[in-house]
Amino acid sequence: MKTWVLYYSKSGNTKKIADAIAEELEDVQKSEQIPPAYPPENVALLFLGTAEYAGKPDPKMIEFIRTLNTNRVKNAAVFGTSGAGNAEGKAIGAVKALLKEKGINVVEESFACKGKNFIFFNRNKPDANDLKAAREYARKVYGSIKV
């Protein structure tokens, strides 16, 4: 099944999760920061990762979704990190809502964890347990998609 992992990350927290997901699955396009070229044709599953900035995804993520050619992507799963507050915050919900508006089937379950915030907060996040949980999430979602 053709799978692609994309993310947007300023600090590298979301990139760590994206890399763990990409390494876990077979036939995956290497994780890549947006905005890349459009996904290849017939992507069965797009993992889309966002960091939360002041309760929102970065504007580059929003723009990418708005310009996404939905004829290329059948299903999407959303993951993210947050340096402050609730890791499964508003940014993941906003990304899921935008994808649904585009008519893409969005996996209900998402993955979120805390990320390092500045020097002092969540210093070792995401940690080995977070990466392990991200890989488990990837396998579960990948196994649930019917091509």
Side-chain angles (χ1 to χ4, degrees):
M1 168 168 66
K2 193 179 284 186
T3 306
W4 220 41
V5 180
L6 289 176
Y7 64 90
Y8 186 80
S9 179
K10 290 180 183 176
S11 65
N13 295 323
T14 306
K15 178 186 185 328
K16 289 179 184 178
I17 300 300
D19 289 345
I21 289 171
E23 291 166 5
E24 186 63 23
L25 302 174
E26 298 174 17
D27 193 27
V28 172
Q29 173 72 29
K30 187 175 187 290
S31 69
E32 192 172 349
Q33 175 127 327
I34 65 163
Y38 275 108
E41 297 289 333
N42 302 317
V43 173
L45 177 58
L46 170 64
F47 281 93
L48 199 55
T50 186
E52 186 167 290
Y53 302 103
K56 299 177 184 174
D58 189 275
K60 290 179 183 177
M61 174 64 73
I62 294 168
E63 183 62 23
F64 172 77
I65 295 169
R66 288 197 173 129
T67 62
L68 182 62
N69 181 340
T70 55
N71 294 326
R72 296 174 180 246
V73 178
K74 292 183 182 180
N75 302 285
V78 182
F79 64 95
T81 60
S82 175
N86 182 3
E88 180 118 18
K90 296 177 184 176
I92 287 177
V95 168
K96 289 169 81 171
L98 288 169
L99 289 166
K100 287 177 183 179
E101 284 175 18
K102 296 284 288 189
I104 295 173
N105 180 50
V106 178
V107 175
E108 281 303 314
E109 184 179 355
S110 54
F111 175 82
C113 69
K114 290 193 177 214
K116 180 173 60 175
N117 185 5
F118 303 107
I119 296 173
F120 304 108
F121 301 106
N122 307 322
R123 192 173 204 166
N124 297 316
K125 293 297 212 167
D127 61 18
N129 290 330
D130 296 321
L131 299 178
K132 178 182 177 189
R135 288 189 286 273
E136 290 170 359
Y137 167 74
R139 279 193 310 272
K140 181 179 179 183
V141 169
Y142 187 84
S144 73
I145 298 298
K146 302 192 179 13
V147 181

